[in-house]
């Protein structure tokens, strides 16, 4: 079983926050046991210079590490001055995480449960 889960961040500093989350996840060895973390860019729009960082793609080979991923995401959000809105896309399910950490866990687990 291999699937891709996309993480997007919206807001004024979305690209900076996406880079921060990417670095955080790359350092979290527990979450990476069954996940490969990749940055993906979109082609520039007319008038833009260079690619724009668009999302983090998690290539997941086992759902055993979902709790570690949820913990890593929750800890990262706890380090941010303003809680960034994170959109998680898995299969046909999209979850927007914008609440405090306790809500984060409930939202992600519901999305995973609904998808399986």
């Amino acid at each position: 079983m291999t699937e891709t889960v996309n993480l997007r961040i919206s807001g004024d500093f979305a690209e900076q926050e996406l880079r921060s989350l990417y670095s955080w996840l790359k350092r979290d060895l527990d979450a990476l046991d069954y996940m490969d973390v990749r940055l993906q860019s979109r082609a520039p729009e007319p008038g833009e210079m260079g690619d724009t960082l668009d999302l983090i793609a998690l290539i997941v080979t086992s759902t055993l590490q979902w709790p570690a991923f949820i913990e890593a995401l929750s800890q990262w959000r706890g380090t941010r001055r303003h809680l960034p809105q994170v959109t998680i896309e898995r299969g046909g399910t999209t979850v927007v995480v914008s609440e405090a950490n306790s809500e984060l866990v409930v939202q992600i687990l519901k999305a995973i449960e609904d998808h399986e």
Side-chain angles (χ1 to χ4, degrees):
M1 170 241 146
T2 299
E3 69 176 317
T4 301
V5 176
N6 293 324
L7 306 176
R8 297 178 193 274
I9 296 179
S10 50
D12 293 337
F13 301 101
E15 187 168 340
Q16 180 181 349
E17 294 287 17
L18 208 54
R19 287 184 190 282
S20 173
L21 177 55
Y22 173 77
S23 295
W24 186 278
L25 291 173
K26 289 297 280 186
R27 287 190 306 262
D28 189 331
L29 298 179
D30 288 339
L32 293 178
D33 284 346
Y34 298 99
M35 295 181 186
D36 182 27
V37 181
R38 300 178 186 166
L39 286 172
Q40 293 187 353
S41 299
R42 65 171 172 78
E45 298 289 328
E48 289 183 333
M49 295 180 61
D51 292 346
T52 301
L53 186 60
D54 189 38
L55 61 89
I56 295 172
L58 301 175
I59 312 304
V60 181
T61 58
S62 172
T63 58
L64 295 175
Q65 289 304 106
W66 280 121
F69 165 71
I70 292 167
E71 182 64 23
L73 183 59
S74 179
Q75 288 176 355
W76 173 78
R77 288 184 80 239
T79 68
R80 313 320 295 161
R81 173 178 255 168
H82 303 285
L83 290 178
Q85 180 174 300
V86 179
T87 301
I88 302 169
E89 301 165 350
R90 180 180 182 222
T93 303
T94 299
V95 175
V96 178
V97 180
S98 59
E99 303 300 324
N101 292 339
S102 61
E103 291 294 318
L104 168 73
V105 175
V106 172
Q107 289 175 342
I108 294 173
L109 289 176
K110 179 168 179 12
I112 291 169
E113 181 181 288
D114 289 348
H115 181 72
E116 294 180 331

